[in-house]
Amino acid sequence: MHRNLTLLTVYLMSAGILLISILFALHQSSDAAILF
Amino acid sequence: MPKDKISRTGKTRRILSGTLWLLLYIILAAGPLLLTAAVTRDLPRRSFWRELSVALGFIGISLMALQFVITARIQQFKEPFGSDIVYQFHRQISIAAFLFIIAHPLIIFIESPDALRLLNIFTAPWRARMAVASTIALIAIVVTSLWRLKLRIEYDRWRIIHGLLAMITVSAGFVHMFLAGIYTDVPVLRTVWMVYALVWIGLLAYTRVIKPWYEIRHPYKITRVIPELGDAWTIVLKPDGHSGMRFKPGQFTWLSVRDTPFKKKEHPFSFSSSAENTDTLDLTIKDLGDFSSTIHSLKPGETAYLDGPHGALTMDRYPDMDGFVFIAGGIGVTPLISMLRTMADRNDQRPVQFFYANRDWNSATFRDELAALEKNLNLELIHVLEEPPGNWTGEKGFLSAEILGRHLPDTRNELQFFMCGPEPMMDAVEDALQKLRIPARRVRAERFAFV
């Protein structure tokens, strides 16, 4: 219950942080300069 | 203000502060990255994979540094969640941080295999040496934490190793980051990361120096060591030269005996005395073969140091509840007897149903006192024994959904559940409560083992 909720929070946060990292890489990189 | 309104306000405040802490956590973890994106538009562009690698490295080091905040036992931070959840979060997010940090060099090596030469610490520059040190320490943290028992690392030793490895991971990680430059050469970003590093060093000073120093200035004397049923011992502590601490029934403290608190050879134990008793504090400890086996050799007059109170397993968080269900396995009875003793002192006559699971009748610590409390309180005691005596008419076997279902009233969903016990029992009971459709928000749990 609480364990599952904690795990879900960790999964969601990790996924969110990974997404931010990917967006950061897209934003900063020459490969995807056209996107931003 | 009416009772239920006070409680609802407390609950709203906890939810709000819990959400705010989580938000702050995400901002602290990802904030530097967003700031980097905002202030570095003029820097030369690199490949997507290189930037992703850098992003994961930044995030990884932030998450690792934040682990020190999570485990610093800051009550304001732990209060909305409870220690159990905070430590679970600590363990689970560390796996995410580990994966982010490991991905950082792996992506670089895959994109430019030439970079593999940086692994040769004899020829590599210091930034690479620091990265290698940080990564090896991190791998060692994960291995020693996940497989501590298999590796037969004793708990006290593990805690020291864990702390040292974590310090190496973060400090070497920070140095690597500053030496690697590019983004950390930008003044505003360098300042932000410097602040991170300084706050981290401050936190280390707080947990390793200031807190132990405070404990030494506020010692306790052991006044009695009382043998209990079930290989347990109660030590009675009296504040020595200060006014002691007030705790809420169900909370726990970290105990150091025969060692200075600076050594961090401390162990968490629940208070077993009434929270209304301000003169002395009781800790009841079962001999489990580790540190706890030294408890019976403690003598009155010896000095003890306490770091507490901690924990959110307390009925004081639920003043509007009409009744409680307590579930204890073995020595998990300690926080619950503290709640019952407190209820007796407060003449609190709200109904309590107490499921108490033990191996056998002689393992049931406090069984006589519980029987006495049954007469003074609105308490229904349900003993569950794995190996009952021949004439036993009570519940037998392991605590299951069937046993719980037989005794719980129809109003079960309106009661607050507290449970404390060993891991396997807690897993089984959590599943049983789920089967019985008890809402998760109604269950508060505390597990013995942090690792």
Side-chain angles (χ1 to χ4, degrees), chain A residues 1-7 9-10 13-14 17-18 20-22 24-31 33 36, chain B residues 25 33 37 40-41 45-48 51-52 55-56 59 88-89 92 96 100 183 427 430 440 443 447:
Chain A
M1 286 181 286
H2 284 298
R3 269 178 308 148
N4 297 342
L5 281 177
T6 316
L7 197 58
T9 309
V10 170
M13 278 173 63
S14 305
I17 286 170
L18 188 61
I20 291 173
S21 303
I22 292 170
F24 172 86
L26 282 171
H27 178 264
Q28 298 294 97
S29 68
S30 50
D31 305 353
F36 295 91
Chain B
Y25 183 89
L33 209 56
T40 57
R41 297 200 68 92
R45 304 254 146 182
R46 295 182 289 182
S47 74
F48 167 80
E51 292 295 346
L52 181 63
L56 294 176
I59 293 278
Q88 271 175 45
F89 182 82
Q92 290 162 353
F100 289 150
Y183 286 141
D427 289 343
E430 279 197 356
V443 183
R447 285 155 191 267

Side-chain angles (χ1 to χ4, degrees), chain B residues 128-419:
Chain B
R129 285 177 185 164
M130 287 293 143
V132 170
S134 177
T135 313
I136 290 174
L138 180 62
I139 292 169
I141 289 178
V142 174
V143 171
T144 52
S145 300
L146 290 182
W147 296 287
R148 176 177 78 84
L149 293 176
K150 275 194 180 155
L151 294 168
R152 295 187 185 165
I153 306 172
E154 189 238 338
Y155 178 76
D156 282 332
R157 187 161 297 167
W158 172 81
R159 280 196 71 210
I160 294 168
I161 296 172
H162 192 72
L164 282 176
L165 289 172
M167 274 190 254
I168 294 171
T169 303
V170 177
S171 52
F174 272 131
V175 176
H176 160 72
M177 194 175 69
F178 286 119
L179 291 178
I182 313 276
Y183 286 141
T184 49
D185 288 341
V186 176
V188 60
L189 296 177
R190 177 169 279 268
T191 309
V192 166
W193 283 112
M194 284 296 235
V195 170
Y196 264 60
L198 286 174
V199 169
W200 178 72
I201 291 166
L203 206 58
L204 268 187
Y206 170 70
T207 52
R208 303 275 156 174
V209 183
I210 298 169
K211 254 191 161 184
W213 178 79
Y214 178 86
E215 285 174 47
I216 284 179
R217 298 283 303 234
H218 296 81
Y220 289 78
K221 279 271 179 263
I222 298 174
T223 59
R224 291 172 73 197
V225 182
I226 307 162
E228 307 279 4
L229 274 183
D231 295 328
W233 299 81
T234 294
I235 56 170
V236 182
L237 301 159
K238 200 173 173 54
D240 185 9
H242 58 100
S243 57
M245 69 170 83
R246 294 301 304 262
F247 66 93
K248 294 188 178 115
Q251 286 192 303
F252 68 90
T253 181
W254 290 80
L255 168 75
S256 306
V257 279
R258 294 182 179 166
D259 259 315
T260 152
F262 284 106
K263 280 200 184 167
K264 289 270 159 197
K265 280 191 171 178
E266 49 185 0
H267 299 82
F269 296 111
S270 296
F271 295 106
S272 53
S273 47
S274 163
E276 294 299 316
N277 178 8
T278 52
D279 297 337
T280 54
L281 303 168
D282 290 4
L283 301 176
T284 302
I285 299 161
K286 187 181 171 71
D287 183 349
L288 294 169
D290 45 16
F291 162 81
S292 53
S293 58
T294 63
I295 290 297
H296 71 273
S297 70
L298 293 174
K299 298 272 179 293
E302 285 195 72
T303 301
Y305 303 102
L306 301 183
D307 172 12
H310 295 287
L313 185 95
T314 172
M315 56 190 233
D316 281 7
R317 286 168 66 120
Y318 307 94
D320 64 326
M321 274 292 151
D322 291 329
F324 302 103
V325 177
F326 292 174
I327 301 171
I331 198 63
V333 68
T334 47
L336 305 175
I337 190 103
S338 171
M339 291 198 220
L340 290 175
R341 285 169 167 170
T342 307
M343 287 179 92
D345 282 349
R346 291 175 183 169
N347 197 20
D348 185 340
Q349 290 297 326
R350 284 178 291 175
V352 179
Q353 215 172 28
F354 192 155
F355 294 86
Y356 189 15
N358 278 291
R359 190 167 43 82
D360 54 41
W361 188 230
N362 284 331
S363 304
T365 312
F366 299 126
R367 71 172 191 212
D368 295 336
E369 186 177 347
L370 285 168
L373 283 167
E374 213 171 3
K375 292 183 187 109
N376 297 333
L377 292 170
N378 190 353
L379 170 68
E380 183 194 354
L381 201 54
I382 300 127
H383 284 283
V384 185
L385 300 179
E386 277 170 53
E387 298 166 15
N391 56 350
W392 183 253
T393 54
E395 295 290 358
K396 299 171 199 166
F398 292 107
L399 192 48
S400 60
E402 288 71 37
I403 294 177
L404 288 164
R406 255 200 297 281
H407 296 274
L408 287 171
D410 295 339
T411 55
R412 61 186 69 166
N413 286 358
E414 288 154 33
L415 304 173
Q416 181 63 41
F417 288 65
F418 293 104
M419 50 191 230

Side-chain angles (χ1 to χ4, degrees), chain B residues 81-93:
Chain B
F81 309 102
S83 302
D84 211 38
I85 289 172
V86 167
Y87 275 93
Q88 271 175 45
F89 182 82
H90 167 64
R91 281 199 298 262
Q92 290 162 353
I93 202 76

